Amino acid sequence: MDIAAKTSFADIFHGLAGSYGDRPALVSGERTLSFAGLAEEAARWARALRAEGVGPGAQLGLALRDGLDVMVTTLALWMLDAVAVPIDFRNRTDERTRLAQEFDLAAIIEDRDLSGGAYRSIPCTPDWAAQVARQSTAPLDRHPTVSYPAFISLTSGTTGRPLGIVIGHRTLLLRSMGYGFEGAYPFGGRFLNAYPLSFSASRNHTVGQLLRGATVQFHPPIFGAGELIEKVNAHGVTFLFAVPATVNAMLALAPEGQGPLMRGLKVLYCGGSGMLTADKTRAWRDLTPGFLHCFSSSVSGTCSVLAGQDLASHADTDGRIMPTVRLQVVDDQDRPLPHGEVGLMRMRSHGMAEGLYKNRARDSGDRLRDGWAYTGDLARISADGFLTGVGRGSDMIIRGGANVYPAEVEAILSALPGVRDVAVVGFASAAVDEEIAAFVVAGPGITEAALDAHCRVQLSPDKRPRRFVLVESLPRNTNGKVLKRE
């Protein structure tokens, strides 16, 4: 019996509507939808989309600016047993066209028709809104044995074309329920969501918070750190997700040693990329004692969490491996390595993805093999169960036959007072295969000579950068990850 086929978030949201009724579920600007209102509005959308030929298994892109609209249309698709493929609303026509072709999209639902005839567009025009408004709000019946994914989640594409991570309804539910193992994930309260729902972490937390009866307040996608702090304190926000770049911008506004800047915030959940040790401890001390940093990926879900007193003793790691995750570090023959040795990370859990769309994968990135999810990350595990990521496998530098992990060099450079951000990369060298370059964002007084002198004391010769490049900022994608190829 296929239990997964009977699990659908369309059914779950009908249950939430019955349990929470008029409690606010989604807030965006002047618009508010209760839990009951969300189910009713999604039913209208589902009927309107069904009239457009959308049915079970159809894959539709969602390129909408407003998170409230994304959640309504997502739930509507689930009511039809269709598949949601969230797309960054900032993508241009040519990129939307490529995604429509690569992921077999029946249509893209977008704020206005940008297709130019290259793909089928369902634009959210006043005429479309009127068509939706005419539909019934009565629940739709779905076939309980149909089994289609909830999402095809597109990777950020920092190392090539995006991959499609297939996330089923059961997997999404287990990931959302798994947040209870990651820290004091609060029930009720208010989640201020400042990131587009094309970002998988933003989407997962939205679903997870709604499952706990919380109100999700969508923030406009353009924001400053000061504005975010002000809204957290003014609106009684209890949960906030942020990427490290946003947390660091908040820290720039937080006086050291004067107590938490956001006292009412129960959880500041940080993920999406690595974070410097000193910044993690400062966030815990100066932003909120509810600060939490995780290691996660689209293919694996969350693997480890650093929170509470572990921030005092293990801030140089990526936290404790979750009790619901089996995680190994292996060599290039998939043989598990002893504690403390660096190797390729792989994991198993009920929250891992079902597959990659059309089995596309990268040798150095997300892939599924023999029942394991490989994230493409290099890591080590301590004897007491803490995980430390040392970089992407594709980022590893081979200098004269020695493996150099950029994260280790970055940690040494970041410890020098005045260094604000750093990225270490390899570049071709005829003499030693690859040489090491460090791109550094630093304050006044930091020179290339000072950086070189610091590394000569702290690093062995084979790990020392041969070039230092002082830059004003590091290039990042919309999720805050450094684009090392640039």
Side-chain angles (χ1 to χ4, degrees):
M1 182 174 64
D2 186 359
I3 297 175
K6 299 180 184 297
T7 303
S8 167
F9 262 90
D11 302 321
I12 290 170
F13 270 90
H14 281 303
L16 292 173
S19 295
Y20 298 129
D22 293 334
R23 182 185 298 184
L26 305 176
V27 177
S28 180
E30 300 300 317
R31 296 193 297 162
T32 298
L33 276 179
S34 67
F35 280 87
L38 171 58
E40 292 172 353
E41 185 66 12
R44 287 194 180 100
W45 267 82
R47 286 185 167 86
L49 289 170
R50 187 168 61 184
E52 294 291 320
V54 177
Q59 295 167 188
L60 273 81
L62 304 180
L64 300 168
R65 174 183 290 267
D66 196 316
L68 186 148
D69 294 328
V70 175
M71 279 308 302
V72 169
T73 52
T74 296
L75 181 52
L77 292 175
W78 291 343
M79 289 178 175
L80 298 172
D81 286 307
V83 185
V85 186
I87 295 172
D88 193 329
F89 70 88
R90 292 163 288 201
N91 282 352
R92 301 177 307 182
T93 299
D94 56 347
E95 179 63 10
R96 295 185 188 199
T97 301
R98 282 194 293 269
L99 293 175
Q101 294 169 348
E102 291 175 18
F103 296 98
D104 304 309
L105 302 183
I108 296 179
I109 303 173
E110 46 193 354
D111 294 310
R112 57 191 179 91
D113 189 348
L114 298 179
S115 68
Y119 56 85
R120 185 186 176 194
S121 172
I122 300 179
C124 296
T125 62
D127 287 344
W128 173 257
Q131 182 178 339
V132 170
R134 289 193 295 268
Q135 307 299 318
S136 169
T137 63
L140 279 77
D141 289 327
R142 53 176 295 275
H143 200 290
T145 60
V146 172
S147 181
Y148 293 105
F151 289 115
I152 295 176
S153 182
L154 305 184
T155 61
S156 54
T158 58
T159 56
R161 295 295 302 153
L163 298 178
I165 310 295
V166 179
I167 305 295
H169 288 267
R170 185 170 181 265
T171 295
L172 181 61
L173 176 61
L174 289 168
R175 284 190 180 186
S176 300
M177 293 174 66
Y179 290 135
F181 288 95
E182 299 178 24
Y185 202 95
F187 282 80
R190 182 173 290 261
F191 168 31
L192 181 62
N193 191 347
Y195 297 93
L197 292 184
S198 54
F199 184 14
S200 62
S202 171
R203 198 165 59 240
N204 291 341
H205 286 300
T206 294
V207 172
Q209 287 289 310
L210 291 172
L211 285 177
R212 286 156 177 77
T215 298
V216 180
Q217 178 178 340
F218 293 105
H219 193 284
I222 305 299
F223 61 88
E227 181 184 5
L228 214 55
I229 293 169
E230 181 180 342
K231 287 197 173 181
V232 165
N233 291 329
H235 292 270
V237 172
T238 55
F239 182 89
L240 180 69
F241 169 77
V243 298
T246 301
V247 173
N248 290 339
M250 290 178 168
L251 287 172
L253 303 175
E256 289 200 44
Q258 295 188 19
L261 200 60
M262 296 175 285
R263 296 181 182 274
L265 188 63
K266 293 182 179 179
V267 177
L268 171 53
Y269 196 110
C270 179
S273 61
M275 194 171 181
L276 301 179
T277 298
D279 292 337
K280 285 183 276 191
T281 54
R282 270 207 67 206
W284 180 50
R285 184 184 66 240
D286 296 335
L287 296 180
T288 171
F291 175 76
L292 177 157
H293 189 265
C294 77
F295 187 104
S296 65
S297 76
S298 296
V299 74
S300 68
T302 304
C303 297
S304 66
V305 169
L306 184 69
Q309 290 301 314
D310 287 342
L311 279 155
S313 57
H314 290 78
D316 57 337
T317 75
D318 288 297
R320 292 180 187 269
I321 297 172
M322 290 178 59
T324 54
V325 171
R326 183 184 180 191
L327 194 147
Q328 292 181 342
V329 167
V330 299
D331 63 15
D332 56 5
Q333 301 297 315
D334 283 339
R335 294 172 298 203
L337 294 171
H339 291 135
E341 290 196 19
V342 172
L344 196 63
M345 194 179 99
R346 69 179 186 179
M347 59 79 67
R348 285 178 180 162
S349 81
H350 288 295
M352 62 190 282
E354 274 79 359
L356 274 69
Y357 191 63
K358 293 184 176 179
N359 293 318
R360 294 171 182 157
R362 303 188 190 100
D363 291 338
S364 60
D366 293 318
R367 55 196 168 99
L368 296 163
R369 191 177 70 211
D370 299 328
W372 292 93
Y374 292 76
T375 66
D377 294 286
L378 296 168
R380 59 174 174 265
I381 302 172
S382 67
D384 53 352
F386 284 80
L387 176 71
T388 302
V390 299
R392 301 288 290 176
S394 57
D395 292 337
M396 186 177 71
I397 302 165
I398 302 177
R399 185 181 185 280
N403 293 342
V404 179
Y405 305 110
E408 293 186 88
V409 183
E410 289 163 358
I412 292 297
L413 282 165
S414 67
L416 179 66
V419 172
R420 298 169 180 166
D421 208 356
V422 60
V424 170
V425 299
F427 64 96
S429 167
V432 288
D433 298 323
E434 287 185 286
E435 273 295 5
I436 306 167
F439 291 78
V440 180
V441 180
I446 297 295
T447 63
E448 294 179 28
L451 294 167
D452 183 59
H454 177 72
C455 288
R456 286 180 180 277
V457 174
Q458 300 292 332
L459 291 168
S460 60
D462 57 345
K463 295 183 180 181
R464 291 202 305 261
R466 274 16 182 210
R467 288 191 61 189
F468 296 93
V469 183
L470 295 172
V471 295
E472 292 186 0
S473 63
L474 298 179
R476 297 180 182 272
N477 67 10
T478 55
N479 299 342
K481 294 180 181 178
V482 175
L483 300 171
K484 289 200 172 184
R485 286 193 176 192
E486 292 190 18

